[in-house]
C-alpha cells in the first residue's frame, strides 16, 4: 500500500496470522468506525498458521466437560499456567470454533453430520476439531476471507516492522520497511497488537517456518516489556530428521506407533502406559509431547535409536492403518513423506526425531491480552498469557489464537477509543531508526549472518535442548552474549532496496539473539525440572521455589534480568502428572 503522509490508525495489528486476523475482526466488531490496519512481513495466507495440520481443541461432545478440558490443560502444563486464564480460554473456545464454522470453516464431520473430533496427546477425551489434516490452512483462509469483507481493515502486506514507537509512556505505532521498495516509514496508531508468532528458528531443527524469528518478542523486550516463561520450549516428537517438517500428532491419534531400531514400541518402558491394540488416550503414543521427546533422548542413551546423517531418529509406523485411513484422514502426511523423504507411509516406515515446535513463553500479557506498556497488546504464539505453562497440549494453540486474538482486538479497540492524537516528537525516533538501518545497509560489518546464526543454533541445541544443566546453560549463555556483541558488526552484502532478504535476515538474527538470551537466562535460574524444562542436575519439580512465572527484562546494557511472578491457582492445586492409566 502506498502512503504519502504518515498514516495513523486506531488499532494497528502486527501479524497477519490467525491471531492477528482474529484480532482485526474483533476490533472491527467492537466499533466499525475504527481505522484498523494489519501489517505482515509475508502475505497473510503465508503466515505459519497455514501449516497447522492436526486440529483445534474445544469442548463440543456431550460426554466431555469444560472442567476436563481445564484439567488436561493444567496438568499438561505441569501446573505452570494461570488457571483463571485457562478457565476463560476453555469457556470461550467452543463459541470461537462455532463462529469460525459460521464464517465458513469446513470442519470435518462424523457420519451423523455432527462436528468430528479426534484424540490428541495429553487429552483424556477426544476433543480436537479438525478439517482433514489441513486445519490451519482452512482456519486461516476463513479468517482472511472474513477480514476482506470489512473495508476499515487495511493491509500492509510484505512490510517488515523494526521498531515500536514509544512516547509519553505509551506505544503510538511502529516503524516498518516496505519490502518491495525499501522505504522506511512510520505507521502511527493508538494501540498496537503484537501477533507475530513464535521463534522456533532460534534452534537448528524445527517445524517452524523461516519467518518465525520472535520479531514481536524482541520488539516488546526492547521496549521494556518482559518476556514470560521463555525457558519452556516444546519439542514435537515427530519431525522429519533433515527438514524438521512436522508429521502431525494426528498420525498417532489415528493409531500410528513409534518404534525403535528393533521395531519395538519403546514408549512402554518410559512410564507412559502399555501397548494396546487401539490407541488409548493419555497413554503411549498419545502421551504429552514433553514426555515423548524426553523418552526419545533416554532411548537414544540406551542405544535404541538409529544414527542418521541429521542426527538420531526412530520410526513412525502407519502401515497397519491402511491406505484408506491414511488417504482420508492423513493425506497431507502421505504427500509430505513423498515430497520430502521419497517414501510412502502406506508401505514404508517414516524416520522421525524430536524437533523444536512451539514456544510456551512469550510477551507477558494479562488475561485481557494487555502488556505493561500502555497501548501494547499481544496474542497468539508471540504472547504468554499463560495457558500453556511448562508444556502446551497439542491443538490448544489454534484455539488460543482465536480466543486471545479476539480479546486483544476488543481490548485494543477500547483502549484506542480513549486516546488522543499522537504525540509530537515521534519524528525524531523515526529518523534515528532510518539512520540505524541505513548504517546497516552500508555493509561495512565483517561478521557473516549465516556464520553467526550457525553458532547460535549449535550452542542452543548443545546447551538449551531437551535436557539442560547449569553448566551447559552457562556455557551457552556466554556464547550468546558473545554473539550479541559480534552481531553489532554484522555484514549486509546486498545494497538493493527491493526485497533485500539479506537486510531482513540480519535484523531477524538480532531478534533471535534476544530470544535466545532470554531463554537461557530464564532456564539457568530455574533449578528444577518441570514439563519441557528438564534440568539433569535438578530432576525434580520444586513447587516451593518455582511455582512461579519467570519474567525476563532487558537491562540497559542488553543482558536479561529475571524476576518472578506467582502462578494463579483457582481450583486445581498442584498434583503429580500421571499418564498411561486413563482409558478414555
Ligand atoms: C507445522 C506446524 C503445525 C502446527 N499444528 C498445530 C495444530 O494442529 N494445532 C494447534 O493447536 N497448533 C498447531 N501449531 C501451532 C500453531 O499453528 C501456531 O502456534 C499458531 O498458528 C500461531 O499463530 P499466530 O497467529 O500467533 O502466528 P503466525 O501464524 O506465525 O503469524 C505471525 C505473523 O506475524 C507476521 N510477522 C512476524 N514478524 C513480523 C515483522 N517483523 N513485521 C511484520 N510482520 C511480522 C508474519 O508475517 C505473520 O503474518 C502448529 C505449528 C506448526 C509450526
Amino acid at each position: 500500500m502506498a502512503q504519502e503522509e504518515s498514516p495513523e490508525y486506531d488499532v494497528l495489528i502486527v501479524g497477519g496470522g490467525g491471531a492477528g486476523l482474529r484480532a482485526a475482526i474483533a476490533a472491527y466488531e467492537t466499533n466499525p468506525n475504527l481505522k484498523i490496519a494489519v501489517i505482515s512481513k509475508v502475505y497473510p495466507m503465508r503466515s505459519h498458521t497455514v501449516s497447522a495440520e492436526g486440529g483445534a481443541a474445544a469442548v463440543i461432545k456431550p460426554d466431555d466437560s469444560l472442567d476436563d478440558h481445564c484439567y488436561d490443560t493444567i496438568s499438561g502444563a505441569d501446573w505452570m499456567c494461570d488457571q483463571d486464564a485457562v478457565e476463560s480460554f476453555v469457556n470461550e473456545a467452543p463459541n470461537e470454533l462455532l463462529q469460525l464454522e459460521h464464517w465458513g470453516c469446513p470442519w470435518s464431520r462424523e457420519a451423523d453430520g455432527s462436528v468430528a473430533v479426534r484424540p490428541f496427546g495429553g487429552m483424556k477425551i477426544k476433543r480436537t476439531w479438525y478439517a482433514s489434516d489441513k486445519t490451519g490452512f482452512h482456519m486461516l483462509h476463513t479468517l482472511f476471507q472474513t477480514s476482506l469483507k470489512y473495508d476499515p481493515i487495511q493491509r500492509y502486506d510484505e512490510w517488515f516492522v523494526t521498531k515500536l514507537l514509544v512516547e509519553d509512556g505509551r506505544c503510538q505505532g511502529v516503524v516498518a520497511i516496505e519490502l518491495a521498495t525499501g522505504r522506511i516509514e512510520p505507521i502511527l496508531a493508538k494501540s498496537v497488537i503484537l501477533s507475530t508468532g513464535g521463534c522456533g528458528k532460534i534452534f537448528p531443527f524445527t517445524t517452524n517456518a523461516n519467518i518465525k524469528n520472535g520479531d514481536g518478542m524482541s520488539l516488546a523486550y526492547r521496549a521494556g516489556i518482559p518476556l514470560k516463561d521463555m525457558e519452556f520450549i516444546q519439542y514435537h516428537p515427530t519431525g522429519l530428521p533433515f527438514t524438521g517438517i512436522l508429521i502431525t500428532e494426528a498420525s498417532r491419534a489415528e493409531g500410528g506407533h513409534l518404534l525403535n531400531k528393533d521395531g519395538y514400541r519403546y514408549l512402554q518402558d518410559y512410564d507412559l502406559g502399555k501397548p494396546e491394540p487401539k490407541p488409548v488416550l493419555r497413554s503411549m503414543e498419545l502421551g504429552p509431547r514433553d514426555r515423548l521427546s524426553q523418552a526419545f533422548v533416554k532411548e537414544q542413551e540406551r542405544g535404541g535409536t538409529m544414527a542418521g546423517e541429521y542426527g538420531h531418529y526412530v520410526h513412525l509406523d502407519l502401515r497397519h492403518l491402511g491406505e484408506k485411513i491414511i488417504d482420508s484422514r492423513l493425506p497431507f502426511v502421505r504427500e509430505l513423506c513423498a515430497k520430502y523423504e521419497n517414501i510412502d507411509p502406506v508401505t514404508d516406515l517414516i524416520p522421525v526425531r524430536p524437533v523444536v515446535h512451539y514456544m510456551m513463553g512469550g510477551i507477558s500479557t494479562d488475561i485481557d491480552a494487555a502488556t505493561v506498556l500502555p497501548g501494547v497488546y499481544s496474542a497468539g504464539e508471540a504472547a504468554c498469557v499463560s495457558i500453556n505453562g511448562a508444556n502446551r497440549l497439542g491443538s490448544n494453540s489454534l484455539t488460543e489464537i482465536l480466543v486471545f486474538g479476539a480479546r486483544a482486538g476488543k481490548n485494543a479497540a477500547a483502549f484506542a477509543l480513549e486516546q488522543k492524537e499522537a504525540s509530537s516528537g515521534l519524528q525524531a525516533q523515526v529518523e534515528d531508526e532510518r539512520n540505524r538501518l541505513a548504517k546497516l545497509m552500508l555493509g561495512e560489518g565483517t561478521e557473516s549472518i549465516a556464520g553467526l546464526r550457525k553458532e547460535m543454533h549449535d550452542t542452543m541445541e548443545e546447551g538449551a535442548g531437551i535436557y539442560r544443566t547449569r553448566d551447559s546453560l552457562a556455557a551457552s549463555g556466554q556464547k550468546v552474549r558473545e554473539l550479541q556483541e559480534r552481531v553489532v558488526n554484522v555484514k549486509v552484502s546486498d545494497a538493493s532496496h527491493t526485497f533485500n532478504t539479506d537486510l531482513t535476515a540480519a535484523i531477524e538474527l538480532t531478534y533471535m539473539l534476544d530470544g535466545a538470551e532470554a531463554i537461557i537466562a530464564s532456564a539457568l535460574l530455574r533449578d528444577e525440572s518441570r514439563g519441557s524444562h528438564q534440568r539433569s542436575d535438578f530432576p525434580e519439580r520444586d513447587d516451593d521455589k518455582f511455582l512461579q512465572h519467570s519474567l525476563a527484562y532487558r537491562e540497559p546494557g542488553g543482558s536479561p534480568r529475571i524476576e518472578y511472578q506467582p502462578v494463579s491457582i483457582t481450583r486445581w492445586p498442584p498434583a503429580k502428572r500421571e499418564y498411561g492409566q486413563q482409558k478414555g
Side-chain angles (χ1 to χ4, degrees), residues 516-531:
E517 234 183 346
I519 290 168
I520 290 174
S522 314
L524 188 57
L525 291 188
R526 187 173 286 279
D527 290 342
E528 65 158 356
S529 289
R530 182 188 296 272

Side-chain angles (χ1 to χ4, degrees), residues 15-16 18-19 40-41 47-49 54-55 161 196 215 358 381 395 397-398:
S40 175
K41 66 179 178 179
S47 305
H48 189 75
T49 300
V161 175
T196 43
D215 303 19
Y358 182 85
E381 195 173 335
S395 75
S397 173
L398 284 179

Side-chain angles (χ1 to χ4, degrees), residues 209-228:
N210 271 332
I211 54 174
K212 296 190 70 173
N213 316 106
D215 303 19
M217 295 179 191
S218 170
L219 291 169
Y221 184 57
R222 291 176 191 180
I225 301 169
L227 301 179
K228 193 194 288 167

Side-chain angles (χ1 to χ4, degrees), residues 14-20 39-44 46-57 120 135-136 140 159-162 195-198 207-209 211-212 214-216 219 246 248 289 357-358 379-382 392-399 401 511:
V14 187
I39 177 164
S40 175
K41 66 179 178 179
V42 296
Y43 193 73
R46 302 189 66 203
S47 305
H48 189 75
T49 300
V50 80
S51 62
E53 301 165 32
F120 241 69
T135 309
L140 194 60
W159 281 67
F160 183 103
V161 175
T162 64
S195 45
T196 43
T207 62
N208 283 194
I211 54 174
K212 296 190 70 173
D215 303 19
L219 291 169
L246 176 74
T248 171
R289 291 175 181 175
H357 184 56
Y358 182 85
E381 195 173 335
R392 171 182 74 100
L393 291 190
S395 75
N396 266 351
S397 173
L398 284 179
T399 315
I401 62 182
Y511 291 153

